[in-house]
Amino acid sequence: MLDLMLITNKPKFAKIAADAGVDRIFVDLEILGKQDRQGHLDTVISAHNMGDVPKVREAIPDADMLVRLNPLHEGTSEEIETVLKYQPDFLMLPMFRTPEELSKFCEMVDGRVRVIPLVETPEAAESLDQLTTIKGVHEIYIGLNDLHLGLKLNFIFEPLINGMVDRMSATIKNARLPFGFGGIARIGEGQLPGELVLGEHLRLESNSVILSRTFHRGILSDDPALTGKLKYEIDKLREVEEYLGDRTPDQVELDRKKVAQIVSLIIASRSNP
């Protein structure tokens, strides 16, 4: 089964998510340069801060916690040391461009926690084969949002239909590392429906995915029916995951073609408004 990751800095929501079956709670400290890159898009730019990390850790003592730091900068070593006090299970490095940057980050971590490089720049994608050999790298995540922006593409899932994600996943699997990519909406929702995205994860033998903000909707409430809704959505995703896992090769290919058709239509609509 895929490891499901959910981004939140709210301790109450983190516990609800962990209890509902989310595998990793994701605290997002990245802020440097993000507004400039994504401020014009309909995306969420997190307002998490270092003070959120111990609060979330306390709320989910038995669940995995992933912390995304800022891109490599003069304060990276201090960020690493501060976060490590709160016993994260994973650290993620975003927006690096060279193997040297990732290697420097891993040297700072020095094996004290698992490192997940977020491959989201064209330069990092080009050097993927080198990234997989760096000591300290535990798994790799492909960030489609900034990657498609860096490539000047029109839609976040375009790398999924132009062969890029297929090639990258093959490289990572050849190195025998786990990997994941992109985000996924609730089943039946999203410009590219969640079930089709899920099918692509299974086709490519991905190991993890980030749950989109659609999974946050209507959760934090005193109404038990709403707080139970996340578990309902997670259970539904798992049921579809099991169903898709039993597809024949012909069915897998048919679903891949559906993805390509939908993404191509979205790209065309944006190219010719």
Side-chain angles (χ1 to χ4, degrees), residues 167-232:
R167 292 189 297 272
M168 293 176 73
S169 62
T171 297
I172 300 167
K173 286 188 290 185
N174 284 340
R176 298 185 178 181
L177 289 175
F179 78 99
F181 63 88
I184 188 170
R186 290 178 177 182
I187 299 301
E189 298 187 25
Q191 286 183 289
L192 186 61
E195 57 273 22
L196 289 177
V197 175
L198 185 56
E200 286 294 272
H201 276 269
L202 296 180
R203 178 179 70 83
L204 294 167
E205 300 179 325
S206 163
N207 304 96
S208 59
V209 66
I210 296 171
L211 302 176
S212 80
R213 59 184 171 178
T214 63
F215 284 86
H216 294 234
R217 195 169 61 240
I219 303 302
L220 286 177
S221 167
D222 292 330
D223 183 347
L226 289 179
T227 57
K229 188 168 180 59
L230 180 59
K231 185 176 187 330
Y232 168 79

Side-chain angles (χ1 to χ4, degrees), residues 119-252:
V119 178
E120 56 181 346
T121 65
E123 297 89 345
E126 283 292 323
S127 61
L128 184 58
D129 56 343
Q130 295 173 262
L131 304 181
T132 62
T133 67
I134 292 174
K135 182 180 179 181
V137 171
H138 176 265
E139 64 185 84
I140 289 177
Y141 207 84
I142 302 169
L144 296 183
N145 199 2
D146 276 303
L147 184 58
H148 97 278
L149 293 174
L151 294 168
K152 302 188 186 311
L153 302 177
N154 285 322
F155 184 48
I156 188 171
F157 284 111
E158 192 167 348
L160 191 57
I161 71 163
N162 67 12
M164 186 173 191
V165 175
D166 287 66
R167 292 189 297 272
M168 293 176 73
S169 62
T171 297
I172 300 167
K173 286 188 290 185
N174 284 340
R176 298 185 178 181
L177 289 175
F179 78 99
F181 63 88
I184 188 170
R186 290 178 177 182
I187 299 301
E189 298 187 25
Q191 286 183 289
L192 186 61
E195 57 273 22
L196 289 177
V197 175
L198 185 56
E200 286 294 272
H201 276 269
L202 296 180
R203 178 179 70 83
L204 294 167
E205 300 179 325
S206 163
N207 304 96
S208 59
V209 66
I210 296 171
L211 302 176
S212 80
R213 59 184 171 178
T214 63
F215 284 86
H216 294 234
R217 195 169 61 240
I219 303 302
L220 286 177
S221 167
D222 292 330
D223 183 347
L226 289 179
T227 57
K229 188 168 180 59
L230 180 59
K231 185 176 187 330
Y232 168 79
E233 294 295 342
I234 296 296
D235 289 347
K236 184 162 62 171
L237 187 151
R238 290 302 192 192
E239 289 174 6
V240 174
E241 181 182 20
E242 183 176 1
Y243 168 78
L244 292 173
D246 290 332
R247 291 175 297 174
T248 66
D250 286 345
Q251 290 171 326
V252 171

Side-chain angles (χ1 to χ4, degrees), residues 2-272:
L2 285 166
D3 282 338
L4 304 179
M5 301 189 285
L6 185 140
I7 299 175
T8 185
N9 65 335
K10 296 178 173 61
K12 179 180 177 181
F13 189 16
K15 185 175 189 318
I16 290 171
D19 290 345
V22 171
D23 300 286
R24 299 176 185 174
I25 302 301
F26 187 140
V27 181
D28 185 9
L29 301 184
E30 183 191 3
I31 192 65
L32 296 180
K34 202 162 190 178
Q35 182 66 39
D36 292 337
R37 299 193 315 270
Q38 298 183 12
H40 64 294
L41 299 175
D42 182 25
T43 57
V44 175
I45 297 177
S46 298
H48 302 186
N49 61 65
M50 191 66 75
D52 296 323
V53 179
K55 296 174 185 176
V56 171
R57 177 78 284 174
E58 184 179 6
I60 54 162
D62 300 319
D64 281 348
M65 180 175 71
L66 182 156
V67 180
R68 175 162 59 188
L69 301 182
N70 279 300
L72 199 68
H73 67 294
E74 64 276 5
T76 295
S77 179
E78 182 179 353
E79 280 188 1
I80 290 171
E81 297 306 320
T82 302
V83 170
L84 286 180
K85 294 177 184 177
Y86 308 119
Q87 300 181 316
D89 298 279
F90 304 90
L91 291 183
M92 177 177 278
L93 176 67
M95 288 306 295
F96 65 93
R97 289 176 169 77
T98 67
E100 290 75 21
E101 289 176 85
L102 177 57
S103 182
K104 184 176 181 180
F105 182 82
C106 288
E107 287 173 6
M108 292 179 186
V109 174
D110 194 25
R112 290 174 290 173
V113 70
R114 289 169 284 184
V115 170
I116 303 177
L118 181 60
V119 178
E120 56 181 346
T121 65
E123 297 89 345
E126 283 292 323
S127 61
L128 184 58
D129 56 343
Q130 295 173 262
L131 304 181
T132 62
T133 67
I134 292 174
K135 182 180 179 181
V137 171
H138 176 265
E139 64 185 84
I140 289 177
Y141 207 84
I142 302 169
L144 296 183
N145 199 2
D146 276 303
L147 184 58
H148 97 278
L149 293 174
L151 294 168
K152 302 188 186 311
L153 302 177
N154 285 322
F155 184 48
I156 188 171
F157 284 111
E158 192 167 348
L160 191 57
I161 71 163
N162 67 12
M164 186 173 191
V165 175
D166 287 66
R167 292 189 297 272
M168 293 176 73
S169 62
T171 297
I172 300 167
K173 286 188 290 185
N174 284 340
R176 298 185 178 181
L177 289 175
F179 78 99
F181 63 88
I184 188 170
R186 290 178 177 182
I187 299 301
E189 298 187 25
Q191 286 183 289
L192 186 61
E195 57 273 22
L196 289 177
V197 175
L198 185 56
E200 286 294 272
H201 276 269
L202 296 180
R203 178 179 70 83
L204 294 167
E205 300 179 325
S206 163
N207 304 96
S208 59
V209 66
I210 296 171
L211 302 176
S212 80
R213 59 184 171 178
T214 63
F215 284 86
H216 294 234
R217 195 169 61 240
I219 303 302
L220 286 177
S221 167
D222 292 330
D223 183 347
L226 289 179
T227 57
K229 188 168 180 59
L230 180 59
K231 185 176 187 330
Y232 168 79
E233 294 295 342
I234 296 296
D235 289 347
K236 184 162 62 171
L237 187 151
R238 290 302 192 192
E239 289 174 6
V240 174
E241 181 182 20
E242 183 176 1
Y243 168 78
L244 292 173
D246 290 332
R247 291 175 297 174
T248 66
D250 286 345
Q251 290 171 326
V252 171
E253 177 61 13
L254 182 62
D255 285 344
R256 186 195 67 78
K257 289 179 177 178
K258 286 180 184 176
V259 169
Q261 182 180 36
I262 292 172
V263 172
S264 295
L265 287 172
I266 293 171
I267 293 168
S269 70
R270 294 183 176 187
S271 301
N272 303 290

